[in-house]
Amino acid sequence: MKFRLRRSGLYVSGTDTKKMVDCGVYGADSVVLDLETSVPTSQKSFARILVKRALKKVNFYDSEVTVRINPIETFGEEDLHEIVQNKLNVVMIPEVSNNKTIKRLDSLLSDLEDERSITHKISIIPLIEDAIGLLSVEKIVEASERIVALTLDADDYLLSISGSRTKNEGELIYAKSKIVSVAKAYGCQAIDSVFLDENDDEGLYKESLAAKRMGFDGKRIVNPNHIEIVHRVFTPSLESIERAKRIMSEYKKNPDRKYLFLDGEIVRKAEIESAKRLLRGVF
Amino acid sequence: MIKKIGESGDVKSKNDVYVKIEPSDKLVIKVETPLFDLFGEKITEEVKEVLDEFNIKKAFVTVIEKNALDFVLQARVEDALRNALGERDEVQT
């Protein structure tokens, strides 16, 4: 599985041509061109042509290019037929509540990749949006080796359990912990819910910090000005990277050991595994 | 084969383009743009590129362009073309 940083995922509507052209210059780890929520039904077919053409012509620089398609059952398959091409890195699929959706998506991607001679394997990020999806998340992540990260739509999830959202997000502790635990258990990244308030820098910082402490690797945002805040929170410190490198250097001398010593202190298996993940971009 | 008139876009929108594609016995591309001398030829090339993708040799294409980006122009041409080819009915603005 190919890992890369996914600290920031900048959403851009699939109908917003100006933002689509600009989004690559801000330095987000990922740009997410959206064909789902932000696109009215009457514009779906034009938006998917527009996104296809943008993928061909627009320079997204170093950002990973993700497209959020519609659910497979409603427009998603048509979206895929338009957008699968060499410049597409990741498909984000919404409303995933069982493994069948992922298996279907995996199969469609394989067919389109073969047909169009795509030179890489397109990754999948499932968006969990309800209680059934959350309870099925292990089966979901097992359904395809293309899955590189898991993410949660907090507002829709809360609607599905008749909950409501507060600033401290206590109501989301179980859901977020489950997403992080399953993601890490299966070697994937966990990406926190989208932060929609474009003017609340402090709120974003606090929410990102809380997510980082829970084990998330990044956050989805809508405002390019928020990239810097999110990167500041989710970038591991130089000290932790240096320590991880030293741990791995010692570990490689004898990989069979379940612990090792560094500067006279014991380093246990959990920290060795954490160092491995950190150096692969999964924090 | 162009079966009917296909349109995409809105003549009033800024930074966008209106495209109409009609049946014809030859290929005609008529471009209206505020900076025709600078971009007329480029716009015609972008339109032809999309028509070639669909192997369209005969059509009357009207383009009313208002500072649209190249990928927006091509998306409008493709959208209008799909309507003209009878793939769908709706006009998307």
Side-chain angles (χ1 to χ4, degrees):
Chain A
M1 199 179 289
K2 189 183 172 188
F3 286 98
R4 55 166 296 155
L5 291 174
R6 294 189 181 86
R7 297 164 299 179
S8 55
L10 177 64
Y11 270 91
V12 177
S13 171
T15 56
D16 194 329
T17 54
K18 187 175 182 317
K19 283 187 180 169
M20 269 197 272
V21 169
D22 292 345
C23 66
V25 304
Y26 300 114
D29 290 333
S30 306
V31 292
V32 184
L33 309 182
D34 181 37
L35 290 173
E36 198 215 6
T37 313
S38 66
V39 179
T41 304
S42 64
Q43 291 186 35
K44 293 285 187 197
S45 51
F46 176 64
R48 63 175 74 101
I49 294 173
L50 193 61
V51 166
K52 173 180 75 173
R53 297 278 169 185
L55 288 174
K56 283 182 183 166
K57 295 257 182 180
V58 173
N59 187 348
F60 297 102
Y61 298 92
D62 293 332
S63 296
E64 178 180 65
V65 181
T66 299
V67 175
R68 180 167 72 170
I69 62 170
N70 289 279
I72 286 290
E73 305 78 22
T74 51
F75 306 120
E77 205 165 322
E78 291 99 311
D79 293 341
L80 280 182
H81 280 278
E82 294 295 345
I83 61 161
V84 169
Q85 57 179 278
N86 271 316
K87 274 176 75 180
L88 176 68
N89 303 121
V90 181
V91 170
M92 184 181 282
I93 172 89
E95 295 180 21
V96 179
S97 52
N98 59 60
N99 57 358
K100 286 180 191 161
T101 303
I102 297 297
K103 285 179 180 170
R104 175 83 183 126
L105 175 60
D106 186 294
S107 163
L108 285 166
L109 284 172
S110 295
D111 291 347
L112 289 166
E113 284 168 351
D114 287 349
E115 190 184 301
R116 297 174 187 183
S117 306
I118 306 297
T119 53
H120 63 281
K121 205 164 190 174
I122 294 166
S123 301
I124 295 174
I125 297 181
L127 191 48
I128 306 300
E129 302 193 28
D130 63 11
I132 296 284
L134 192 68
L135 292 179
S136 312
V137 71
E138 287 173 62
K139 285 185 177 168
I140 288 167
V141 79
E142 283 171 348
S144 170
E145 288 184 352
R146 295 174 187 270
I147 293 177
V148 290
L150 293 172
T151 188
L152 175 78
D153 185 317
D155 292 314
D156 283 1
Y157 166 74
L158 285 172
L159 282 174
S160 83
I161 60 164
S162 303
S164 55
R165 200 163 180 182
T166 60
K167 281 272 180 193
N168 72 21
E169 297 198 324
E171 62 282 354
L172 287 168
I173 287 174
Y174 170 70
K176 288 193 173 191
S177 296
K178 175 120 188 177
I179 292 286
V180 169
S181 300
V182 173
K184 299 302 163 78
Y186 285 86
C188 299
Q189 291 168 322
I191 300 171
D192 194 25
S193 310
V194 65
F195 190 82
L196 291 170
D197 189 339
E198 297 201 44
N199 302 311
D200 185 5
D201 291 5
E202 195 185 337
L204 171 68
Y205 179 74
K206 284 180 180 169
E207 203 172 294
S208 300
L209 202 57
K212 162 85 176 155
R213 286 172 180 154
M214 289 187 85
F216 282 97
D217 303 290
K219 191 159 181 65
R220 297 182 283 129
I221 49 176
V222 293
N223 184 348
N225 293 332
H226 285 167
I227 293 169
E228 193 269 332
I229 297 170
V230 166
H231 283 192
R232 197 172 354 124
V233 172
F234 287 102
T235 304
S237 65
L238 289 175
E239 292 79 16
S240 60
I241 292 172
E242 195 51 45
R243 181 173 169 83
K245 282 181 180 170
R246 292 178 63 214
I247 289 171
M248 291 316 295
S249 171
E250 281 298 313
Y251 174 74
K252 280 174 186 167
K253 290 176 189 168
N254 187 353
D256 294 331
R257 283 185 298 182
K258 290 188 175 167
Y259 61 90
L260 52 85
F261 287 95
L262 197 69
D263 301 331
E265 287 181 11
I266 193 164
V267 176
R268 297 181 190 282
K269 192 182 173 193
E271 194 180 355
I272 296 170
E273 292 302 317
S274 174
K276 276 187 202 172
R277 286 200 304 270
L278 188 144
L279 295 177
R280 285 187 309 173
V282 183
F283 313 138
Chain B
M1 177 78 177
I2 305 295
K3 294 177 182 169
K4 58 177 186 172
I5 294 174
E7 294 173 279
S8 184
D10 182 341
V11 283
K12 293 174 190 165
S13 301
K14 287 181 183 171
N15 304 316
D16 202 344
V17 56
Y18 166 78
V19 177
K20 182 160 91 170
I21 298 179
E22 301 168 79
S24 171
D25 57 2
K26 58 184 176 179
L27 181 63
V28 180
I29 301 172
K30 189 180 143 198
V31 178
E32 280 181 36
T33 173
L35 296 167
F36 187 86
D37 289 346
L38 280 175
F39 297 116
E41 197 175 325
K42 173 74 175 155
I43 290 169
T44 306
E45 279 174 20
E46 298 279 356
V47 173
K48 273 187 184 164
E49 197 177 301
V50 180
L51 296 177
D52 286 346
E53 284 175 27
F54 286 79
N55 203 24
I56 301 296
K57 307 287 183 203
K58 295 172 183 175
F60 193 101
V61 183
T62 306
V63 178
I64 301 174
E65 193 272 342
K66 292 186 178 172
N67 302 320
L69 295 155
D70 55 359
F71 76 93
V72 180
L73 168 66
Q74 290 204 327
R76 287 287 180 208
V77 174
E78 180 174 344
D79 192 45
L81 196 51
R82 288 184 174 202
N83 290 329
L85 291 168
E87 287 187 20
R88 47 184 148 79
D89 295 325
E90 77 271 39
V91 174
Q92 307 223 333
T93 55

